[in-house]
Amino acid sequence: MKQGWRWYGDADAITLKEIRQAGVTDIVAALYERKPGEVWPVSEIRARQKKVKDAGMTWSVVESVPVHEDIKKHAGECLRYVENYKKTLRNLAKCGIKTVCYNFMPVLDWTRSNLAYRLPDGSTCLEYNEYELAGFDMFYLKRPGAGKEYCRKTRERAARLWKKLSEKEKKRVADSVLMGLPGTVDDLTPDEFLAQLKTYEGIDDAKLRQNMYWFLNEISPVLEETGVDMCIHPDDPPHPIFGLPRILSNADDIAEMYRKCPSRHVGLTLCTGSLGGDPANDAVEIMKKFGKRVFFCHFRNLEYTADGVFHESQCHLCGQTDMPKLFEAFLREEKRRGEKIVVRPDHGRFLEIDKGRKCYSGYSYGGRLIGLAELRGLEIGLKYAKKGL
Ligand code: DNO
């Protein structure tokens, strides 16, 4: 693997020097100051690239070039934004950056209900509780029609749970959804969020898929021309939330995207943590089946404490995903290709040594440092134990 690390630019609490000392060779970054839909100028890309190079590393993956909501809805200024997207891809290619991660989740990027779930050792990590989210949706946001969308069991369980939560805990859930996470384009008030959800009325699963396939086929000639690989990030969590469709959640969705978008440059970010949000997903099988078009990986793990409730693992190798098996499939793909793939330790616990730093949620130094070291150890161990890998 190429050892990757997400860096949020100058606003990041973790410096490039620290990242390099973690053993990282490849930086995953973006022009975070550019809004969705804007063209990324070559000069700005080069400036960021130079900073990374001066620190002894390479900026090799973009995460993300965000897809404007108008493109997802295929409405408004969609065509102009697609042209801008193509320009950005060409500009990135001119600078030699040819791996682009993005997602097609409407309105929200990844979503959690608790950004500081406390583990027995006092470290914290991110948690997702389906029932807290349903409670927030029905009783705090009061989204019209929300109650009808949940099954009776979820509705009742969410109602009981919501009643028990203190005001502070309710606010914690609300803030986690509306303003919590890196990747979020804008912090939203409940009213703004409701208004944004309303703009998706009439866009169901089938329509959103159609819009995504159209977008990918529209940019495919640019991918062919420049050699840029687009790797979609799976939905997180991998199921519909707040009445919004989610269309890249499992193996069937990936297969359909590959079928409908035949360019070999249309591929996947294999994110074990996002896929693991549905226990029916088998990341190992996904790697084996779709590996040829996996261009970038996020490795981490989840632990479930109840049905629909999980938090990010203590250890990147243990939990929902069988990481040794997955890593073996990953190494086989690297071997087949004759090329290494960038992996980043995706999220990490917030540890004592992170105290006092304003880290983005999930993007601590200590937690990811351990995660990367674990992955490195696994790679060396597998290569040692399995000849020919
Ligand atoms: C979370 C990230 C996501 C990811 C985007 C890609 O930690 O993996 O925010 O960057 O979904 O577009």
Side-chain angles (χ1 to χ4, degrees), residues 6 63-64 101-103 105 109-110 182-183 233 298 344 346-347 363:
R6 190 175 199 173
E63 181 172 352
S64 310
C101 174
Y102 67 103
N103 72 73
M105 291 179 254
D109 196 303
W110 58 310
H233 187 280
H298 290 176
R344 68 173 182 82
D346 189 22
H347 309 172
Y363 290 91

